[in-house]
Amino acid sequence: MLKDDIVAVPHECVDCPIRHRAVCARCEPDELAELEEFKYYRSFEAGQTVVWSGDRMDFVGTVVSGIASLTQTMEDGRTQMVGLLLPSDFVGRPGREGAAYDVVATTDLTMCCFRKKPFETMMETTPHIAQRLLEMTLDELDAAREWMLVLGRKTAREKIASLLSIVARRDATLRKVTMDGPLVFDLPLTREAMADYLGLTLETVSRQISALKRDGIIHLEGKRHVTVPDISVLMEEAGDDSDGGMLV
Amino acid sequence: MLKDDIVAVPHECVDCPIRHRAVCARCEPDELAELEEFKYYRSFEAGQTVVWSGDRMDFVGTVVSGIASLTQTMEDGRTQMVGLLLPSDFVGRPGREGAAYDVVATTDLTMCCFRKKPFETMMETTPHIAQRLLEMTLDELDAAREWMLVLGRKTAREKIASLLSIVARRDATLRKVTMDGPLVFDLPLTREAMADYLGLTLETVSRQISALKRDGIIHLEGKRHVTVPDISVLMEEAGDDSDGGMLV
DNA sequence: CGCAGAATTGATACATCTCAAGCTGGGTGG
DNA sequence: CCACCCAGCTTGAGATGTATCAATTCTGCG
């Protein structure tokens, strides 16, 4: 739970795997050099909490590898995941003192962090960063709103299908695989994490996954390894028109 | 439904009621002058649709007075409100062709619109606009995420209490009233609109409002005029810790 | 091997939806 | 001025989807 927290991973921005999608995507070489002045890497093990809601946050950063989740928790323990952070996603809010949500490493995780003060300063002088951050924030806002439809109006089966279809398509895009044939991927979430994302209980998640399996919409090997024979069928189950409202 | 659509409302930015909260909040007088070159006002009656999802949008703009809602609709008619647009809120996304959501005037509505092309151009040259837009977008993202908790995890009663408490506090802030005493305001939404916002049916909304009334948490005069004797009691019902996660 | 965390499955309870019947208040036309 | 009408709302009774509680079963790992 609390082993190698801060780790120095030797990385040059130039050969960063997410260089072209992250907040630094539009930066020129000299701007990257400036960023590198106050950047550092941190690694977390699956399950570790990166930041607690309400805590002071003296950095912002980007997910380099692995998956993290943003969650809110009520006093009585009910929790809702409000964001799934995949590689290239940005964490933290410039101009705010404390963290608004818990950030938890869902898998092993590496983040590229920037000390907040210098980052904020640089944002003011470097439009490339602010521009890219605005673009990313607008995308996240769209994703959040798309998810509001899922949470507010979809049935349990549609919710599961929505989640699977997002993960499947994300994965396909990342690996640059066409979506004509069957899609194969590993679920990065436990049943409980899925439940927290979908506003369900873990039992309902389990039942609905079994149902989709029974109906041949998906195949399972073990608990996590999923095959989707036909993504358009899955998207039909999700209640999306098949051209696909893309999420997250 | 389709009377006075485009209306010229003579307004100088200088005496605009939302001057200090809108996307132009940080603009200098000369920047305001530049904005005024391509700005115009539009008015809508309650119920009118401002933009249809998917339609081409050749403007962006700010709500000056009245309330609008952002909604998504599934093929079978299920709809979810994904945003409530109050005065000073921004509509539209620079850099995108089509509208992502339906925008509907909930009450009579006046908007201050900017032609999109020149606005986009100006965003590149005027950091004050992009900066403010980023700030506003981050706030909206927070609101959307807060709302995900409401949709995913709260009971019907808590949902209603959450909505009422938001509207009550918003109203109090706008009119600069202290929140010690009883709060009095008019609901800007029909029961159906509330249902669409909360992911409920209108019958459930009605029942829960009656229940809150019966329990003395709120008082009603007519259908819309609400009195909240003690906002902290209402917030208790909403499941928020009483210091208050502020929304929207 | 055996344990612990994760997942599945079952039985039942309950919250919310659905369908259906009235109610209310404000506006319109006779 | 009254009667009517209609959209918005309320209330009721029953159906249904999901949660809850509880018991197994899987799976990976020391």
Side-chain angles (χ1 to χ4, degrees):
Chain A
M1 184 62 173
L2 25 84
K3 228 188 312 182
D4 55 345
D5 193 334
I6 299 189
V7 176
V9 180
H11 245 332
E12 302 285 325
C13 287
V14 202
D15 43 45
C16 176
I18 49 160
R19 161 85 179 80
H20 53 302
R21 303 195 65 199
V23 71
C24 52
R26 297 194 188 171
C27 287
E28 302 293 342
D30 59 319
E31 295 166 341
L32 282 183
E34 197 178 338
L35 274 173
E36 256 165 337
E37 299 278 310
F38 53 86
K39 128 189 159 187
Y40 56 99
Y41 290 90
R42 295 180 68 181
S43 291
F44 302 86
E45 300 179 351
Q48 261 188 296
T49 295
V50 177
V51 197
W52 295 94
S53 167
D55 277 10
R56 197 154 171 291
M57 229 182 132
D58 49 353
F59 67 95
V60 296
T62 299
V63 174
V64 177
S65 68
I67 293 184
S69 64
L70 238 49
T71 60
Q72 285 192 89
T73 304
M74 295 171 66
E75 291 144 50
D76 60 9
R78 282 176 282 175
T79 83
Q80 175 66 49
M81 195 183 297
V82 295
L84 199 55
L85 298 172
L86 301 171
S88 83
D89 283 339
F90 187 78
V91 179
R93 173 166 176 172
R96 166 149 61 197
E97 267 298 298
Y101 313 100
D102 294 332
V103 181
V104 180
T106 292
T107 64
D108 287 348
L109 181 75
T110 303
M111 291 190 47
C112 169
C113 302
F114 305 104
R115 284 187 290 121
K116 202 167 87 188
K117 264 284 148 45
F119 186 86
E120 285 168 357
T121 311
M122 192 167 166
M123 259 187 59
E124 278 164 28
T125 57
T126 312
H128 283 161
I129 293 185
Q131 281 167 11
R132 177 65 184 140
L133 187 56
L134 174 58
E135 195 172 48
M136 292 173 75
T137 307
L138 285 165
D139 285 341
E140 276 184 271
L141 182 57
D142 279 341
R145 286 176 165 165
E146 200 78 37
W147 206 250
M148 286 173 66
L149 176 65
V150 173
L151 290 173
R153 291 304 186 192
K154 291 197 176 178
T155 65
R157 169 181 263 242
E158 289 170 336
K159 285 177 174 182
I160 298 288
S162 298
L163 178 57
L164 291 176
S165 123
I166 288 166
V167 174
R169 279 180 294 158
R170 268 263 196 172
D171 185 80
T173 316
L174 267 178
R175 313 212 237 139
K176 292 170 180 165
V177 171
T178 154
M179 303 209 297
D180 302 340
L183 299 178
V184 182
F185 61 94
D186 284 305
L187 266 178
L189 302 173
T190 64
R191 299 288 185 264
E192 185 177 20
M194 294 175 70
D196 284 343
Y197 200 17
L198 297 167
L200 299 169
T201 58
L202 98 199
E203 293 96 328
T204 298
V205 168
S206 183
R207 276 187 246 274
Q208 296 298 337
I209 288 181
S210 299
L212 289 175
K213 189 170 68 177
R214 202 178 314 122
D215 298 345
I217 316 281
I218 60 172
H219 297 266
L220 273 187
E221 242 171 277
K223 317 289 188 184
R224 300 291 196 92
H225 196 73
V226 183
T227 304
V228 179
D230 184 343
I231 186 72
S232 68
V233 173
L234 182 61
M235 286 170 61
E236 192 78 21
E237 291 292 336
D240 299 333
D241 32 5
S242 52
D243 61 16
M246 45 241 14
L247 310 184
V248 182
Chain B
M1 183 63 173
L2 25 83
K3 231 191 305 182
D4 56 345
D5 194 335
I6 299 188
V7 175
V9 179
H11 246 332
E12 301 285 324
C13 287
V14 201
D15 43 45
C16 176
I18 49 161
R19 163 83 179 80
H20 53 301
R21 303 194 64 200
V23 71
C24 51
R26 296 193 189 173
C27 287
E28 302 293 343
D30 59 319
E31 294 167 341
L32 282 183
E34 195 179 339
L35 274 174
E36 256 166 337
E37 299 277 309
F38 51 87
K39 132 192 155 184
Y40 55 98
Y41 290 91
R42 294 181 70 181
S43 291
F44 302 86
E45 299 178 352
Q48 262 190 293
T49 295
V50 177
V51 197
W52 295 94
S53 167
D55 276 10
R56 197 155 170 289
M57 229 181 132
D58 49 354
F59 68 94
V60 296
T62 299
V63 174
V64 177
S65 68
I67 294 184
S69 65
L70 238 49
T71 61
Q72 286 192 88
T73 305
M74 294 172 67
E75 293 143 49
D76 61 8
R78 281 176 283 177
T79 82
Q80 175 66 49
M81 196 183 298
V82 296
L84 199 55
L85 299 171
L86 302 171
S88 82
D89 282 340
F90 187 79
V91 179
R93 172 166 176 172
R96 166 149 61 196
E97 267 298 299
Y101 313 100
D102 294 331
V103 181
V104 180
T106 291
T107 64
D108 287 347
L109 182 73
T110 303
M111 291 189 51
C112 169
C113 303
F114 305 103
R115 283 189 290 121
K116 202 168 87 188
K117 264 284 148 47
F119 185 87
E120 285 168 359
T121 311
M122 193 167 165
M123 259 187 59
E124 277 162 30
T125 57
T126 313
H128 283 161
I129 294 186
Q131 281 167 11
R132 177 65 185 139
L133 188 56
L134 174 56
E135 195 173 47
M136 291 174 75
T137 307
L138 285 164
D139 285 341
E140 277 185 87
L141 182 56
D142 279 341
R145 285 175 167 164
E146 201 77 38
W147 206 250
M148 287 173 66
L149 176 66
V150 173
L151 291 173
R153 291 303 187 192
K154 291 197 177 178
T155 65
R157 169 181 263 245
E158 289 169 335
K159 285 177 173 181
I160 299 289
S162 298
L163 178 56
L164 291 177
S165 123
I166 288 165
V167 175
R169 279 179 293 159
R170 267 264 197 173
D171 185 78
T173 317
L174 266 179
R175 313 211 237 137
K176 293 169 180 162
V177 171
T178 154
M179 302 209 297
D180 302 340
L183 300 178
V184 182
F185 60 94
D186 283 306
L187 266 177
L189 301 173
T190 64
R191 300 290 185 264
E192 185 176 22
M194 293 175 70
D196 284 343
Y197 200 16
L198 296 168
L200 298 169
T201 58
L202 98 201
E203 293 95 330
T204 298
V205 169
S206 184
R207 276 187 247 274
Q208 296 299 336
I209 288 181
S210 299
L212 288 176
K213 190 171 65 176
R214 201 179 313 121
D215 297 345
I217 316 280
I218 60 172
H219 298 264
L220 272 187
E221 241 171 279
K223 318 291 187 181
R224 298 293 194 88
H225 196 73
V226 184
T227 304
V228 179
D230 185 343
I231 186 70
S232 70
V233 173
L234 183 60
M235 286 170 63
E236 192 77 20
E237 291 293 335
D240 298 332
D241 33 3
S242 52
D243 61 15
M246 46 244 13
L247 311 184
V248 183

